[in-house]
Amino acid sequence: MDRVIAFPLMGNYHVPAKYLLSKISDCKVMDAPKITSKTIELGSKNSPDFVCMPFKYTLGTYIECLDMGANTLIQMGGGCRYGYYSELQEKILKDLGYDFEYYNLVSKGYADIFKIYNTLKKINPKLKKIKSIYHFIITKNMVKYIDKIEDYIRGNKGFEEVDGCFDKEFNDMLNSYLNNKGLISLYLRYKKYKKRIKNIKLKKIDKRIKIGVIGELYTLMEPFANYNIEDALYKFNVEVKRFTNVTYLLFEKGKKSKKYLKKLNNVKYKMGADALDNIYYTKYLIDNKYDGIIHIKSSFCTPEIGSMGIINKMCEENDMPVLFMSMDSNTSKVGMETRLEAFYDMIEMRKNNG
Amino acid sequence: MKIGIPRSLYYYYFKDLWINFFDFLDIDIIVSPKTTREILDLGINNSVDEMCLSMKNYIGHVFYLKDKCDYILIPRIDNYGLDNQTCTNFLSSYDIINNLIDTKILNYNINLRNNETELSGLFKISSLLGIDKGKMKKAYIYAKEKEKSIRESKIKENIEKLNSNKKKILLVGHPYNLYDELIGKQVIKMLTDLDIEIIYSDLFDTNDEFKYYSKELYWKYSKDNIGSIVKCKDKIDGIIFISSFPCGLDSLVNELVIRKLDKPYINLIIDDVESSGGIETRIESFVDIINS
């Protein structure tokens, strides 16, 4: 049996993930189909009622991939309920009659490099340590480069003179990353596209409206899960700031969240998953005079629900507009856009009135 | 000086320890009364809409106490080791409440991965209250022994019930839901009226039994719940799962167990405590099935 690997989508990170898996497994790596309303329907139908949305999205993606011929599924756990997804998802898919192997790279919310390596070794027994370390480093850099460029794009895409310039260059960049031939080749590609993206012409606007987007990680990073809220914001000519990305979650969170805790005087402990981080971001956005904050999460996300009360209080005390959005499979895109428009109008009025 | 203890969440895990501990030290405590509609409404009005019913209930109890005492006791439980974590509400309740009320909070943290134990936590709050270390240690040993003997007798009673001739139903749920006046007590009352012997999931000594159903489980309180099913599943006639809406752990763990279960069961998710009609109908028909 030829192995066909599939994994759930999140933002643009399927590019580095695909690169890594195809380099170190010698197997076919499937491009999971883009999430559509059909994916959500499939996922919701087979999930427990009040589980959070990422469970339903990834389950839907798995079903679609299995139907397309995948036979090895990979899941990454996280620091909250996410860490326990895998066991139940495997059971649900087996109950549906699918035949496949299921690997969970991170369990109990703590990433263990040796465990990840051993799991990958099960998928590809011929895996060499040196080779895998080399490709790990390339992948790590790729993620870092993507995050850096995305960060710049978020700040400026709302002001591009010709629509679609950023998208075109960015997609070209992702494609070129997939074909890189090593560390240096990757770096050169990054340099080349960085230059091209920074040269894109921007409209000159005096008072830029700046909005910070915070919240639960999956819903933030997967555009379909948040109904493409960032693109909706660019239409209003807005500068968007988002802190959460994979570089942060995998490589920086451990150290930084301890620092955040020290800088906050209204919170004493970590509050699970990214709740503390988001409270810190709120402080950062207030201190740096942003014009508004949008907090996004999937319904039933317990850690974020815990942080919401505190974030709301901070914003009230500092006269900062904040919009809370809870996404589930019944949220309508139009409803979200209406709320966003009203929020933007309010911010714009505040800005113009001084 | 008076210390307030909210009758919800942590209370059901630590009540015997706390009550005896403060009793030994001659410190006045006030425990909030059994949940009433007014207390729950206090919680609902002061919490974020999407919080789970149990958390809202807890906040209600805190608000009931906030002007009636000098300190409110709110611990935080991070973990009992890497494999024994807790629900995020146990991680965040201190900070959530500290941002809601002005009453002083007595807080200690249990994080065994970081060597923060129950004893060191109680040490911390005792020194804050000006109690000397030797006395505090005696109180802790006294309270711990009391707690142990109370629990042992309760477990014994629970296990003896398994030999009863009546039909036996295992109630699986977190103790703060099972024993809460508005959440679990209504179910217990209905079952007692129907002449059912009730076994409680929290009154078992469990270890690794949960592995029968789930290999990767890493939440301590869910392990206890699931372990109890493994311990007594051959002696009971049915299982009732009770969770509060929308419990994060139960949404996954109960679903996985139910998919592997070979016993009659119902899964009660308690959201609206306003009317018990729906629950009553379900319980009655469930008991009919078991009796037939």
Side-chain angles (χ1 to χ4, degrees):
Chain A
M1 179 184 79
D2 286 339
R3 213 186 260 285
V4 183
I5 300 179
F7 55 90
L9 292 175
M10 187 172 73
N12 293 309
Y13 296 110
H14 57 280
V15 173
K18 188 182 177 185
Y19 172 83
L20 180 69
L21 288 170
S22 57
K23 286 290 175 200
I24 61 178
S25 70
D26 291 334
C27 311
K28 204 176 155 226
V29 180
M30 182 186 274
D31 282 321
K34 276 244 149 65
I35 300 179
T36 61
S37 47
K38 192 179 148 249
T39 319
I40 300 176
E41 208 182 304
L42 274 173
S44 303
K45 200 173 79 187
N46 295 299
S47 301
D49 287 337
F50 48 93
V51 74
C52 37
M53 289 311 293
F55 188 96
K56 300 178 181 175
Y57 284 38
T58 48
L59 186 71
T61 303
Y62 283 142
I63 295 177
E64 286 184 331
C65 289
L66 287 166
D67 285 338
M68 286 164 63
N71 54 28
T72 305
L73 304 180
I74 293 189
Q75 175 69 286
M76 294 267 279
C80 46
R81 245 192 286 190
Y82 211 159
Y84 193 67
Y85 278 9
S86 55
E87 199 171 5
L88 182 56
Q89 285 186 330
E90 185 177 5
K91 177 75 184 153
I92 290 175
L93 293 170
K94 290 253 154 90
D95 283 352
L96 285 171
Y98 290 108
D99 182 28
F100 60 93
E101 284 176 47
Y102 193 98
Y103 295 97
N104 184 20
L105 293 185
V106 184
S107 68
K108 290 166 192 159
Y110 292 88
D112 179 348
I113 294 291
F114 293 103
K115 205 193 149 215
I116 294 177
Y117 175 74
N118 285 338
T119 314
L120 292 172
K121 189 106 180 163
K122 267 186 232 158
I123 298 173
N124 175 21
K126 278 181 267 171
L127 185 63
K128 296 260 185 342
K129 248 185 205 148
I130 304 277
K131 191 181 162 194
S132 56
I133 289 171
Y134 180 64
H135 288 296
F136 259 126
I137 293 172
I138 292 184
T139 313
K140 184 185 163 178
N141 285 354
M142 201 187 288
V143 170
K144 202 169 80 188
Y145 296 154
I146 290 177
D147 284 340
K148 272 190 178 164
I149 296 280
E150 275 199 331
D151 211 37
Y152 177 81
I153 292 180
R154 245 175 251 125
N156 296 293
K157 195 172 161 188
F159 308 99
E160 61 187 348
E161 263 186 0
V162 187
D163 283 349
C165 291
F166 276 111
D167 278 348
K168 189 191 159 290
E169 295 293 346
F170 187 70
N171 287 334
D172 286 353
M173 183 186 83
L174 289 180
N175 287 335
S176 109
Y177 278 3
L178 264 185
N179 306 324
N180 88 79
K181 291 178 186 69
L183 267 177
I184 294 165
S185 140
L186 179 71
Y187 180 70
L188 292 175
R189 282 160 210 250
Y190 164 65
K191 277 278 173 204
K192 176 178 147 200
Y193 280 98
K194 188 178 159 190
K195 204 174 160 196
R196 286 169 74 160
I197 285 173
K198 291 219 162 150
N199 282 338
I200 291 176
K201 282 211 175 98
L202 300 173
K203 289 181 220 163
K204 292 248 162 19
I205 289 180
D206 289 343
K207 277 188 192 168
R208 279 189 175 193
I209 288 182
K210 298 191 287 183
I211 292 182
V213 190
I214 58 176
E216 174 253 322
L217 66 103
Y218 182 89
T219 313
L220 269 181
M221 292 196 283
E222 169 53 43
F224 199 87
N226 60 37
Y227 297 88
N228 229 331
I229 192 164
E230 285 173 14
D231 276 349
L233 283 173
Y234 300 141
K235 286 201 190 113
F236 297 126
N237 297 342
V238 164
E239 186 179 323
V240 180
K241 173 81 181 165
R242 187 183 92 193
F243 303 87
T244 314
N245 56 33
V246 168
T247 312
Y248 174 73
L249 291 171
L250 288 184
F251 309 115
E252 294 171 353
K253 188 177 155 85
K255 271 187 202 158
K256 279 195 179 169
S257 59
K258 269 181 204 152
K259 263 191 219 157
Y260 293 167
L261 198 55
K262 275 184 197 148
K263 284 184 187 164
L264 288 167
N265 48 19
N266 55 346
V267 178
K268 188 172 164 191
Y269 296 113
K270 290 183 186 172
M271 294 169 64
D274 293 342
L276 170 75
D277 310 78
N278 284 320
I279 292 172
Y280 175 78
Y281 300 150
T282 308
K283 181 179 151 59
Y284 177 92
L285 294 169
I286 290 171
D287 290 349
N288 286 280
K289 306 259 180 302
Y290 272 68
D291 299 296
I293 298 177
I294 299 177
H295 180 276
I296 320 170
K297 69 163 199 326
S298 92
S299 305
F300 310 132
C301 173
T302 326
E304 289 307 327
I305 293 171
S307 75
M308 275 165 67
I310 299 176
I311 290 175
N312 198 18
K313 190 183 169 198
M314 292 167 76
C315 290
E316 236 168 58
E317 284 169 357
N318 293 288
D319 198 22
M320 167 68 94
V322 59
L323 176 66
F324 291 101
M325 288 192 158
S326 194
M327 306 290 185
D328 67 23
S329 48
N330 298 323
T331 313
S332 81
K333 191 172 170 143
V334 182
M336 188 215 68
E337 280 171 355
T338 312
R339 291 184 64 192
L340 219 54
E341 210 175 314
F343 185 67
Y344 170 77
D345 285 347
M346 186 260 289
I347 289 180
E348 199 197 17
M349 248 187 287
R350 275 168 59 107
K351 186 120 183 158
N352 289 337
N353 293 342
Chain B
M1 183 179 58
K2 211 172 211 181
I3 295 174
I5 300 179
R7 191 187 288 269
S8 188
L9 288 194
Y10 309 97
Y11 173 79
Y12 291 99
Y13 295 102
F14 301 115
K15 59 172 189 274
D16 298 321
L17 176 78
W18 287 345
I19 290 172
N20 286 302
F21 180 75
F22 291 118
D23 183 42
F24 189 93
L25 293 172
D26 274 336
I27 294 175
D28 274 348
I29 55 169
I30 168 174
V31 180
S32 55
K34 289 177 180 169
T35 313
T36 59
R37 188 66 225 181
E38 288 72 41
I39 291 182
L40 183 60
D41 279 344
L42 263 181
I44 290 173
N45 294 334
N46 287 298
S47 51
V48 178
D49 281 350
E50 288 177 78
M51 279 177 181
C52 76
L53 185 68
S54 315
M55 189 64 195
K56 286 177 182 165
N57 189 22
Y58 187 68
I59 293 177
H61 281 270
V62 170
F63 269 80
Y64 174 88
L65 286 172
K66 75 179 167 108
D67 300 320
K68 297 184 176 65
C69 56
D70 304 307
Y71 291 99
I72 296 181
L73 181 61
I74 302 175
R76 172 182 185 268
I77 305 174
D78 193 296
N79 60 65
Y80 293 95
L82 179 58
D83 285 347
N84 286 306
Q85 302 175 20
T86 57
C87 158
T88 27
N89 280 336
F90 284 78
L91 269 70
S92 59
S93 55
Y94 167 77
D95 284 311
I96 291 174
I97 286 160
N98 197 18
N99 280 282
L100 278 176
I101 58 169
D102 296 326
T103 315
K104 281 185 207 156
I105 296 176
L106 273 188
N107 166 259
Y108 64 88
N109 187 21
I110 298 181
N111 179 353
L112 293 195
R113 294 188 72 212
N114 202 13
N115 286 327
E116 292 173 70
T117 59
E118 187 177 82
L119 178 63
S120 67
L122 288 173
F123 254 126
K124 217 179 86 191
I125 63 169
S126 309
S127 61
L128 196 88
L129 296 173
I131 299 160
D132 104 330
K133 269 192 178 177
K135 198 174 173 198
M136 180 265 148
K137 206 166 184 182
K138 269 185 208 148
Y140 180 71
I141 294 167
Y142 168 79
K144 210 62 195 167
E145 260 170 24
K146 277 270 176 174
E147 183 195 34
K148 202 179 155 202
S149 71
I150 294 172
R151 183 164 166 80
E152 270 170 4
S153 72
K154 275 189 186 162
I155 290 178
K156 211 176 140 203
E157 193 189 330
N158 198 39
I159 289 173
E160 270 165 12
K161 281 197 218 155
L162 286 170
N163 301 320
S164 156
N165 293 324
K166 293 187 200 170
K167 292 284 179 187
K168 293 167 291 264
I169 288 179
L170 175 69
L171 280 190
V172 181
H174 301 289
Y176 51 81
N177 290 335
L178 290 186
Y179 303 118
D180 189 89
E181 200 63 22
L182 284 185
I183 302 174
K185 273 283 164 67
Q186 46 171 338
V187 179
I188 294 176
K189 192 170 170 295
M190 286 170 204
L191 289 173
T192 324
D193 289 347
L194 291 164
D195 201 27
I196 294 288
E197 194 73 74
I198 306 167
I199 323 286
Y200 298 98
S201 67
D202 65 315
L203 297 175
F204 282 93
D205 268 330
T206 55
N207 263 324
D208 281 347
E209 286 87 356
F210 70 93
K211 287 197 174 143
Y212 179 85
Y213 287 115
S214 171
K215 299 243 157 20
E216 289 191 13
L217 191 58
Y218 53 88
W219 292 305
K220 172 154 171 54
Y221 296 137
S222 290
K223 281 182 181 178
D224 293 348
N225 284 353
I226 304 313
S228 74
I229 303 178
V230 184
K231 275 218 154 179
C232 66
K233 66 182 163 57
D234 299 329
K235 292 184 186 158
I236 49 171
D237 302 286
I239 297 175
I240 296 182
F241 293 93
I242 298 184
S243 17
S244 54
F245 181 83
C247 177
L249 315 189
D250 288 356
S251 69
L252 296 171
V253 181
N254 287 2
E255 174 80 15
L256 183 69
V257 173
I258 284 168
R259 279 171 181 266
K260 297 181 176 177
L261 207 60
D262 51 0
K263 282 272 167 197
Y265 73 89
I266 47 173
N267 191 9
L268 290 181
I269 291 145
I270 310 226
D271 178 11
D272 180 14
V273 290
E274 202 104 344
S275 69
S276 55
I279 294 173
E280 206 167 336
T281 316
R282 288 186 67 192
I283 289 183
E284 272 170 12
S285 54
F286 182 61
V287 171
D288 281 348
I289 291 170
I290 286 178
N291 281 329
S292 62

